[in-house]
Amino acid sequence: QHGADFASARTKEKDFYKNERKLVIKALTKLQVKCKHIGGMTKEFETKQNLKFFYVGIGERTARRYADKIEYELELDPQAAISYLQLMDEPLAKATVSDEENSKQCLEKHWKNVYIKYDKDVAPEIYKPYDVLDEGDQKEGFEDSLFRIRDRLALINEIVTQDVELGGCGIFVPMLQTKDHCIVDFYPLHTLEHLQDILDKLFSWKSLTYKLLSLPLEEIRTYFGEYIGIYFAYLEFMTIYFLPISIIGFIIQCMQWGEDYILVDGIEYFALFVIVWSIAFPILWKRKEYAWALKWGTLRCETSERPRPEFMGEYRRSNVDGGVEEYFPHALRNTRRLVTFTVVATFLIALFGSVVAVVVLRVYVAETGIDYGTYFISIANALVIMFFNNIYGIFAEKLNEWENYKTETEYENNLIIKIFIFRFINSYATLYYIAFFRRYESDENLACTAEDCMEDLAAQLSTIFITQLTVSNAIELGGLAVARMFKGVVSSYFTDDIKELVWNQYSSEVYERTFDDYCEILVSFGYATLFVISFPLAPLAAFVGCIVEARIDGYKLCKLTRRPFPRQANNVGTWQLAMEVMGWTVLVTNLCIICFSAEDLDIPLGVSDSYFEETLTALILFAILFILVNILSWWVAKRPFKIITHLDRMIHLESSVKSIGQSIDRYLDSLSNDELENWRQWNAQQVAYFLREVCYKNPEEYRTLESAIRHARFSGKYFDEADEHSLEKKLGITDHLHKRFVLNARRNLENQIEQVKKQSAFLDIDKSERYGSMDASGDERQEFQFTNDNLIQMAEFFEEDLTGQSKRKLWTKVDKDMSSLIEDNEMDTFLYFSIVVFIKAKYSNVRLPKKSDKKFQSKILAPLKRWLLHYKVSAHGLTFDEFDRFFPSWLREYYREHKAAEQGGITKYDTIRMEEASSPSVLDDEDAHLQAKLARNKKNKKLGALLGSGGMFGSSSNKDSNRSGSSSSRSNRSSSRPPSEETMRADIEAGLPLVGIKKGDEYERKIKDDIEREHWSQESLEWEQKLSPVADAIEKTDITTREKIWDKFDRKKVEKLDCDKSLSRLIYSLIALYIKTQDRNARPPKFNSLTPLLQSICNEIKQEINNKYNTPNNNYITKKDFKENIVTYLKKIARRRRQSSASGLSKSVSITEMMKQQKR
């Protein structure tokens, strides 16, 4: 967008990045995001690293505005919320403070952990307050903040990375990192005091002894967010849950060691206990999960989850609520899933080959009798497993990204399915072979008895499990530490030197998600339970592994990686399903082992066929366990009634707060300008009525307040001067919360007045804003080029920012006849003023477009007016209610349909189809007018008389021969005196035909006939001589750069462009590229001034293509042809233009000689 895609050597220069950085900061500042260069990063250090570091942050006001926009959920403060809502006559709050018998079940404790969407119109005191950390917020009068640090980090990330159509800046850093862009990275800094608190609770003597099994979950959740907090909660739960089975497993292992025999008596009951334990784990965790979601306020986080910045879709209106949404076709995603399935199948085939290779190696070891060969094979198998896991993981992530999922939850859930299936087969395939199939091998070197197979299984399982526990953790920590050392970072985050603090965190690795950590503990769970009778110490190893894993992950997050942006999560996602599948797999596997492989468990049924008896035993046990598990799941795992009630309560309170906020907003909008401007002259009754509408709707409370206001004659003047002390003294308000509610009502009134004044100024347009080139301070004012792309921002402005008074004022400014309707003859004026209000509100120091501007009329006002009158506005005219309710959605729909038609898509509106069909090219009206004028001049041009009998030059006057400059020269041709040398030279330079001079060859004559330069702009004539260096500059670019340039114009990926339409814009971008490579601060000439030159180049390129491929009627250039031949085409055109120019110059030089001949 800013030229960063062009792969030129000059794009590496400092000035280029400096200018681009200004554009980025300007985009952030427009959304009130603060950017400040970090002074502690010295100039020498930044020069050495070739980087500049900036703080990026938001204030309390910006945070509240954006939280209201995206409906960010905040926790209610129980006491303040009850107090405010009972004043606003909300029934639950009134019942909570009531002493009546039928309200005793409505308690204040029910208001804890209530999270609702933030609403800017209600009293902010109802939300839980936090300490203000920014001095700027304190200067603006904010005593408390509604946001924790993690909330602000989430909001900053949302503002910066979210698409422009959804209200963000559209600066998605991971995508920019793959390009030559000034932004290198974007990350949150650690808060050292909070980080140290987490580390102390993870590694203190207390936490490593009697509090070994507990983790600082509340601190982790507050600092890193619920997404990471729920992972550590899951890890803590699993650690505690492993304790009983670890103790029993240790006892069984001692029995096996004592008897030197694996299939000891009672082993089958231990297997049954493990089965019940494994199946119950996901059920009990689900219950615990609900408790955490309730406490952390994430019960509804999936319904309010925002789209991923990586998600690529088209914007459309939702068929659920009518809002703007980003959409990607499910059919296309399913097609991509088929490709993914093919890749997964290929990897599974390769995995099967590795299992066969291990079996072959085992045969070789058995035949040769290598000492400790079994253990070597086990270690090799463990390394192969980790290799396949890592390689497949990379492919799975790429394919999952390609499938283009909208939210992080959808993305992770589908990635889990891909990874879990493969890792399960990869991790346990060899163990299943030993447990079930090796006994039946025909090769005597492989066949074994039940005991021997169990011994081999124990050796294999213990080796693989312990190897993976140690190696994976070593790689995890070692890889991060080595990466930091390679970047020259050896010190800790905990330093007072800001330069070291920022640089150390920048040099650390990014912690993207908990996916690998979940995978690791799930695989350990399988090793600990699937084949537990062969190695009963496996649960103990998994127990120790969970303790170590919790400390390693905590250390990694706090000291080796950057701080991740906080995310919400109400559960572990598809890992819950994976754990349930693992539980049922444990059931089937252990039943089969004890019934078939070990043959230790069978129900005596009096059947002679032992195999049938074993099978029947397994089926009976499976049926019993299946029934018990479903009963347990129905009883325990379903959503508790407490959670359902709390969720309903949250929905009710959110709806009530939203309704209250809407009523306050409507009331403030209903106040006239006179009432707002003269609010300090309000009488006591007006003040009382205002407070009733804003914060005292409870009749009992309001009667008391009204009586006190009347008695104290509390007018607008006293209301303006009121503070908490005067409210208590004059009105008898003793509750400190009620005082704050009243003062907040006054603050809302002042904000409304300020907003109305600001927006009223948008409708006061002086002539300097439309015609002046300088603003009041003397700075240059550029004319604002309003395009259809601005309609999305305009719709958002009318929907979110413009007040009711401003809308009414705009309406009355246009509705001069007071008919309460915008009729046909007023529609263009209405649209013009609507656009003007938007431009003045969003853009400063710009010159407004003129309503009389033909280009602005034909491209913006006329098509939009025609579309609205034809499809949206009723026959009698546009009403104010329609304007207030539907105008933003109409603008979005028009933009979407117009964009689709512009790109060759399908639109259901005839006016848009006719508009696009009537446009012969992508040129604007001025360009079309210029081309039409050139055609007329060419048609009406009269040839001069040939050399007459008197030996004089003859000529004929042109239609435009009375113009200054060359008019006198041409008129003199009809006289008896021959033209002067200066006159003839001027005519040649202007491209006029020199009558009486013999032309060159036929090709030159053709060029002279086709290219009429007499009406070319000076820029076109000048740049015609520079085509050769332009071609040389493009030749230096690589194929990838040309593809990027092409893709900016071929939005629909049709792989071809119309030579009469889009190609001229493409050639113009190449000229702009050449200019920027020569001087980054230079500005390319306007497109209109180069239109004649660009059209002539496009015509010659079309001729070259048709001659080359023998396609006389072809009007397109393909992407392949552009990448491979555009330089050749431009060079040929440049060479012909030089030859034509040289020919003209030679004629000009020979004029003197010709004049001598004429005189003779």
Side-chain angles (χ1 to χ4, degrees):
Q1 180 178 347
H2 309 306
D5 291 343
F6 295 145
S8 169
R10 294 185 64 86
T11 62
K12 305 293 184 184
E13 294 184 2
K14 178 180 67 175
D15 289 343
F16 166 69
Y17 285 123
K18 181 179 179 180
N19 294 333
E20 192 175 45
R21 186 170 69 243
K22 288 180 180 178
L23 291 173
V24 171
I25 293 176
K26 183 178 179 181
L28 294 170
T29 306
K30 191 180 293 184
L31 292 180
Q32 287 79 50
V33 179
K34 301 176 183 178
C35 297
K36 178 184 177 183
H37 181 247
I38 303 178
M41 312 299 289
T42 61
K43 186 175 181 180
E44 295 78 10
F45 180 80
E46 290 187 331
T47 303
K48 178 183 176 182
Q49 303 297 338
N50 197 25
L51 293 168
K52 278 186 175 294
F53 291 86
F54 288 79
Y55 286 128
V56 178
I58 56 174
E60 182 71 15
R61 192 179 304 279
T62 304
R64 293 188 182 188
R65 179 185 62 82
Y66 202 76
D68 179 71
K69 181 181 180 62
I70 67 172
E71 298 181 331
Y72 192 82
E73 288 191 353
L74 295 175
E75 184 179 4
L76 287 182
D77 180 70
Q79 185 179 359
I82 293 171
S83 180
Y84 177 76
L85 292 178
Q86 69 92 16
L87 283 180
M88 297 302 290
D89 207 30
E90 198 280 321
L92 179 60
K94 291 171 65 178
T96 303
V97 299
S98 174
D99 295 331
E100 297 178 3
E101 182 67 22
N102 62 354
S103 302
K104 63 180 181 179
Q105 68 275 9
C106 300
L107 305 175
E108 184 177 335
K109 69 177 184 179
H110 295 148
W111 291 70
K112 293 181 179 179
N113 303 317
V114 173
Y115 289 77
I116 66 171
K117 296 173 182 176
Y118 173 72
D119 192 302
K120 62 180 176 58
D121 295 310
V122 301
E125 287 79 10
I126 69 172
Y127 302 102
K128 190 174 181 179
Y130 301 93
D131 294 336
V132 173
L133 301 174
D134 186 21
E135 294 180 359
D137 294 337
Q138 293 175 331
K139 291 179 182 178
E140 291 185 5
F142 292 104
E143 298 178 3
D144 299 308
S145 174
L146 305 183
F147 307 95
R148 300 159 294 178
I149 295 177
R150 53 96 59 226
D151 294 320
R152 292 205 182 197
L153 290 177
L155 289 172
I156 290 171
N157 186 44
E158 180 75 17
I159 294 173
V160 172
T161 62
Q162 194 55 261
D163 288 351
V164 175
E165 289 83 353
L166 298 179
C169 287
I171 304 175
F172 182 48
V173 178
M175 189 178 294
L176 298 180
Q177 288 174 329
T178 63
K179 302 181 179 181
D180 189 16
H181 200 274
C182 73
I183 297 179
V184 177
D185 223 320
F186 171 59
Y187 60 97
L189 291 174
H190 281 292
T191 312
L192 299 185
E193 59 270 23
H194 297 157
L195 199 64
Q196 187 61 58
D197 184 42
I198 295 173
L199 286 170
D200 290 342
K201 292 184 178 180
L202 280 174
F203 297 101
S204 64
W205 177 86
K206 185 191 299 184
S207 62
L208 294 177
T209 52
Y210 64 92
K211 285 196 174 183
L212 183 66
L213 302 182
S214 62
L215 298 173
L217 298 179
E218 196 60 41
E219 290 80 0
I220 292 173
R221 168 254 177 174
T222 302
Y223 189 80
F224 292 108
E226 291 78 11
Y227 173 73
I228 292 177
I230 200 72
Y231 163 72
F232 278 95
Y234 184 74
L235 189 55
E236 180 190 82
F237 183 80
M238 180 176 282
T239 305
I240 297 173
Y241 199 73
F242 261 122
L243 185 59
I245 194 176
S246 300
I247 296 173
I248 299 174
F250 179 74
I251 295 172
I252 298 295
Q253 186 69 63
C254 292
M255 292 171 57
Q256 290 179 348
W257 286 338
E259 298 185 18
D260 194 20
Y261 190 70
I262 290 180
L263 300 176
V264 296
D265 293 337
I267 191 73
E268 63 274 16
Y269 302 111
F270 175 60
L272 291 174
F273 174 75
V274 171
I275 289 172
V276 175
W277 179 93
S278 301
I279 294 179
F281 173 77
I283 297 173
L284 297 176
W285 162 250
K286 201 167 186 178
R287 187 81 172 193
K288 186 70 174 178
E289 201 173 50
Y290 283 128
W292 287 118
L294 172 64
K295 185 176 182 180
W296 292 346
T298 58
L299 288 171
R300 301 183 300 167
C301 74
E302 289 184 357
T303 60
S304 59
E305 192 172 6
R306 302 280 287 174
R308 300 165 60 237
E310 300 94 330
F311 176 66
M312 303 296 291
E314 63 176 9
Y315 287 95
R316 68 172 196 177
R317 296 304 252 174
S318 169
N319 56 10
V320 177
D321 57 5
V324 178
E325 67 169 3
E326 200 171 2
Y327 173 75
F328 185 76
H330 295 290
L332 180 56
R333 181 176 293 124
N334 291 333
T335 303
R336 295 182 177 184
R337 282 173 174 166
L338 289 176
V339 178
T340 302
F341 175 78
T342 305
V343 175
V344 173
T346 304
F347 267 94
L348 289 177
I349 293 172
L351 178 59
F352 177 76
S354 71
V355 173
V356 173
V358 170
V359 173
V360 172
L361 185 61
R362 189 178 298 277
V363 172
Y364 173 77
V365 169
E367 290 177 349
T368 56
I370 298 175
D371 294 338
Y372 304 105
T374 302
Y375 293 99
F376 291 145
I377 293 173
S378 301
I379 294 173
N381 191 22
L383 296 177
V384 169
I385 289 171
M386 287 188 285
F387 171 78
F388 268 102
N389 284 343
N390 292 328
I391 295 298
Y392 175 76
I394 295 172
F395 277 89
E397 287 198 33
K398 295 292 183 183
L399 291 169
N400 205 62
E401 187 70 47
W402 182 55
E403 290 174 12
N404 198 23
Y405 293 101
K406 186 172 184 178
T407 64
E408 284 290 345
T409 301
E410 291 178 355
Y411 176 87
E412 286 211 352
N413 288 345
N414 284 276
L415 183 60
I416 290 167
I417 294 173
K418 294 180 181 68
I419 295 289
F420 174 71
I421 295 173
F422 182 83
R423 288 203 176 181
F424 181 89
I425 298 173
N426 185 33
S427 299
Y428 309 124
T430 306
L431 301 177
Y432 271 101
Y433 164 75
I434 298 173
F436 295 108
F437 302 106
R438 190 178 170 191
R439 286 183 61 190
Y440 307 103
E441 287 282 0
S442 58
D443 192 331
E444 60 180 11
N445 292 318
L446 293 177
C448 60
T449 62
E451 178 64 22
D452 291 338
C453 285
M454 288 298 109
E455 289 180 358
D456 194 10
L457 182 62
Q460 187 88 352
L461 175 60
S462 59
T463 304
I464 293 176
F465 192 13
I466 295 172
T467 301
Q468 285 211 359
L469 283 178
T470 54
V471 173
S472 61
N473 286 325
I475 292 176
E476 186 175 7
L477 283 181
L480 294 173
V482 169
R484 281 166 53 87
M485 286 190 290
F486 267 113
K487 294 179 181 178
V489 179
V490 294
S491 58
S492 168
Y493 295 155
F494 297 92
T495 175
D496 294 331
D497 188 345
I498 188 64
K499 180 177 69 176
E500 288 189 12
L501 177 67
V502 174
W503 177 252
N504 290 351
Q505 295 185 46
Y506 167 71
S507 303
S508 300
E509 294 297 315
V510 179
Y511 186 87
E512 294 185 353
R513 51 177 58 93
T514 58
F515 184 84
D516 290 331
D517 297 319
Y518 275 117
C519 257
E520 194 173 340
I521 60 176
L522 186 62
V523 170
S524 298
F525 184 91
Y527 283 132
T529 55
L530 285 171
F531 310 98
V532 69
I533 65 171
S534 65
F535 184 49
L537 274 183
L540 180 60
F543 172 75
V544 175
C546 286
I547 295 174
V548 174
E549 181 72 20
R551 268 63 189 179
I552 287 177
D553 289 340
Y555 182 84
K556 175 181 66 177
L557 278 166
C558 295
K559 303 202 74 172
L560 295 179
T561 63
R562 295 180 191 172
R563 181 178 187 173
F565 279 104
R567 284 172 49 192
Q568 285 192 328
N570 61 350
N571 53 44
V572 296
T574 307
W575 292 114
Q576 175 71 23
L577 175 62
M579 190 58 69
E580 291 174 0
V581 172
M582 182 66 78
W584 286 101
T585 307
V586 170
L587 185 151
V588 174
T589 302
N590 281 280
L591 272 181
C592 291
I593 288 176
I594 59 177
C595 291
F596 300 108
S597 297
E599 301 177 354
D600 278 344
L601 183 64
D602 57 356
I603 300 175
L605 301 173
V607 181
S608 58
D609 190 346
S610 61
Y611 181 78
F612 176 77
E613 193 172 63
E614 292 167 358
T615 304
L616 198 58
T617 299
L619 291 175
I620 292 173
L621 290 174
F622 180 83
I624 294 172
L625 291 170
F626 179 83
I627 294 172
L628 292 175
V629 167
N630 279 278
I631 292 173
L632 183 65
S633 179
W634 173 81
W635 184 40
V636 176
K638 68 176 183 180
R639 179 175 288 183
F641 179 75
K642 177 183 176 182
I643 300 294
I644 296 173
T645 304
H646 188 80
L647 193 58
D648 292 341
R649 187 183 303 117
M650 286 171 56
I651 294 173
H652 164 75
L653 290 174
E654 183 174 273
S655 176
S656 299
V657 169
K658 183 178 181 180
S659 176
I660 291 170
Q662 289 174 343
S663 67
I664 293 174
D665 186 47
R666 284 194 299 269
Y667 169 71
L668 292 175
D669 277 347
S670 68
L671 295 175
S672 65
N673 288 341
D674 291 338
E675 288 178 303
L676 291 173
E677 291 174 1
N678 302 315
W679 71 277
R680 291 179 178 84
Q681 282 76 47
W682 283 356
N683 56 37
Q685 185 60 41
Q686 288 175 302
V687 173
Y689 183 76
F690 170 78
L691 291 177
R692 186 192 73 179
E693 293 298 321
V694 177
C695 59
Y696 269 86
K697 283 194 173 182
N698 189 324
E700 294 85 0
E701 299 282 353
Y702 174 69
R703 280 194 289 270
T704 304
L705 176 70
E706 184 186 31
S707 175
I709 288 176
R710 286 182 176 180
H711 182 266
R713 296 181 180 179
F714 194 77
S715 63
K717 178 183 177 181
Y718 292 120
F719 186 37
D720 179 35
E721 299 170 350
D723 55 18
E724 291 191 13
H725 176 72
S726 63
L727 289 176
E728 182 175 357
K729 183 178 180 181
K730 292 185 177 181
L731 301 182
I733 302 176
T734 57
D735 191 313
H736 75 284
L737 287 172
H738 290 193
K739 298 175 189 175
R740 296 190 65 175
F741 298 152
V742 172
L743 297 178
N744 179 72
R746 185 184 65 189
R747 187 162 55 248
N748 282 348
L749 178 62
E750 292 171 342
N751 291 339
Q752 181 74 6
I753 294 170
E754 181 182 353
Q755 190 176 13
V756 169
K757 285 182 178 179
K758 183 178 177 181
Q759 293 184 0
S760 296
F762 300 154
L763 290 167
D764 300 329
I765 308 169
D766 56 27
K767 291 186 177 180
S768 65
E769 291 181 299
R770 285 188 284 183
Y771 306 105
S773 60
M774 298 290 179
D775 62 9
S777 62
D779 295 330
E780 184 180 359
R781 179 185 282 139
Q782 299 290 333
E783 181 176 351
F784 184 83
Q785 300 296 328
F786 188 91
T787 66
N788 286 318
D789 291 334
N790 296 113
L791 292 175
I792 290 293
Q793 294 172 290
M794 182 174 165
E796 182 181 342
F797 168 72
F798 272 84
E799 193 170 57
E800 301 288 342
D801 300 333
L802 203 62
T803 63
Q805 289 98 328
S806 299
K807 290 180 181 178
R808 180 63 69 178
K809 190 172 182 180
L810 169 64
W811 180 271
T812 55
K813 188 178 182 70
V814 179
D815 187 24
K816 298 293 186 182
D817 56 2
M818 305 297 290
S819 63
S820 299
L821 293 171
I822 300 296
E823 298 167 338
D824 293 9
N825 60 338
E826 299 170 325
M827 183 60 71
D828 53 352
T829 304
F830 166 72
L831 292 175
Y832 174 71
F833 278 115
S834 299
I835 292 172
V836 165
V837 168
F838 160 71
I839 295 174
K840 292 191 68 175
K842 293 296 183 180
Y843 300 92
S844 58
N845 195 30
V846 295
R847 192 166 70 251
L848 299 174
K850 304 173 188 176
K851 184 184 174 186
S852 58
D853 185 358
K854 292 183 179 179
K855 176 182 175 182
F856 180 63
Q857 273 279 353
S858 61
K859 284 292 182 183
I860 304 298
L861 292 181
L864 182 56
K865 172 187 174 181
R866 186 164 57 246
W867 183 80
L868 286 173
L869 292 176
H870 196 74
Y871 293 106
K872 298 300 178 183
V873 179
S874 56
H876 56 273
L878 176 68
T879 66
F880 179 79
D881 184 57
E882 289 175 331
F883 162 61
D884 188 32
R885 294 173 58 192
F886 304 123
F887 188 60
S889 63
W890 289 347
L891 291 178
R892 290 192 182 96
E893 185 176 2
Y894 175 78
Y895 167 79
R896 186 179 67 251
E897 296 293 335
H898 188 277
K899 207 69 175 175
E902 191 178 64
Q903 295 176 358
I906 298 175
T907 175
K908 60 184 178 181
Y909 297 111
D910 293 334
T911 58
I912 296 178
R913 277 202 297 270
M914 290 189 299
E915 178 190 346
E916 292 301 321
S918 64
S919 179
S921 69
V922 294
L923 301 178
D924 54 23
D925 289 349
E926 291 182 8
D927 304 331
H929 178 69
L930 178 59
Q931 294 300 315
K933 189 174 181 180
L934 288 172
R936 288 197 305 271
N937 289 340
K938 182 177 179 181
K939 181 178 179 181
N940 298 330
K941 187 175 180 182
K942 297 180 180 179
L943 298 175
L946 297 176
L947 187 60
S949 59
M952 295 184 295
F953 285 93
S955 70
S956 176
S957 62
N958 191 284
K959 184 178 179 179
D960 298 325
S961 62
N962 59 349
R963 292 180 306 163
S964 62
S966 62
S967 60
S968 60
S969 301
R970 288 191 295 273
S971 63
N972 286 338
R973 296 183 184 185
S974 60
S975 66
S976 60
R977 188 177 59 199
S980 65
E981 181 177 349
E982 290 78 9
T983 300
M984 298 174 73
R985 191 184 302 277
D987 280 355
I988 291 174
E989 290 177 353
L992 296 174
L994 190 58
V995 182
I997 298 178
K998 187 177 181 180
K999 303 295 182 184
D1001 57 17
E1002 186 174 352
Y1003 182 79
E1004 180 188 348
R1005 184 161 57 250
K1006 183 178 185 300
I1007 294 295
K1008 293 294 288 182
D1009 290 340
D1010 288 345
I1011 304 176
E1012 297 292 342
R1013 297 180 177 81
E1014 62 177 316
H1015 294 292
W1016 279 28
S1017 64
Q1018 186 62 35
E1019 289 88 349
S1020 290
L1021 294 171
E1022 177 183 341
W1023 278 95
E1024 188 180 33
Q1025 307 304 319
K1026 297 181 181 180
L1027 289 179
S1028 183
V1030 170
D1032 293 337
I1034 303 304
E1035 190 176 23
K1036 295 177 182 178
T1037 61
D1038 56 12
I1039 295 297
T1040 303
T1041 302
R1042 294 178 202 169
E1043 283 185 354
K1044 291 180 180 178
I1045 297 173
W1046 174 278
D1047 290 339
K1048 289 179 181 294
F1049 298 87
D1050 186 18
R1051 298 294 179 85
K1052 296 194 70 178
K1053 307 296 182 185
V1054 295
E1055 305 291 326
K1056 64 180 181 179
L1057 291 178
D1058 193 325
C1059 292
D1060 294 337
K1061 295 183 179 180
S1062 304
L1063 183 59
S1064 59
R1065 293 282 183 182
L1066 181 54
I1067 302 299
Y1068 176 75
S1069 72
L1070 299 180
I1071 296 176
L1073 165 62
Y1074 167 76
I1075 294 173
K1076 290 297 183 181
T1077 56
Q1078 299 302 309
D1079 183 3
R1080 186 48 69 175
N1081 295 320
R1083 293 183 179 180
K1086 292 184 178 180
F1087 178 82
N1088 294 347
S1089 64
L1090 293 182
T1091 297
L1093 172 63
L1094 296 173
Q1095 287 297 308
S1096 68
I1097 293 173
C1098 292
N1099 289 334
E1100 290 196 50
I1101 290 177
K1102 182 167 63 174
Q1103 291 175 8
E1104 290 286 345
I1105 294 172
N1106 292 342
N1107 292 336
K1108 181 177 180 180
Y1109 298 103
N1110 194 23
T1111 53
N1113 297 323
N1114 176 54
N1115 203 38
Y1116 295 93
I1117 180 173
T1118 64
K1119 182 176 182 180
K1120 180 181 179 183
D1121 205 20
F1122 172 80
K1123 291 190 297 182
E1124 296 176 355
N1125 301 319
I1126 188 63
V1127 175
T1128 305
Y1129 295 155
L1130 291 177
K1131 284 189 173 183
K1132 283 185 179 180
I1133 294 170
R1135 185 168 61 251
R1136 286 199 292 267
R1137 302 296 172 95
R1138 284 199 306 270
Q1139 291 172 352
S1140 176
S1141 178
S1143 176
L1145 182 60
S1146 66
K1147 292 178 178 60
S1148 178
V1149 171
S1150 65
I1151 288 176
T1152 305
E1153 190 67 30
M1154 292 175 60
M1155 291 178 64
K1156 290 179 181 178
Q1157 293 177 8
Q1158 183 186 21
K1159 289 178 180 178
R1160 286 198 297 270

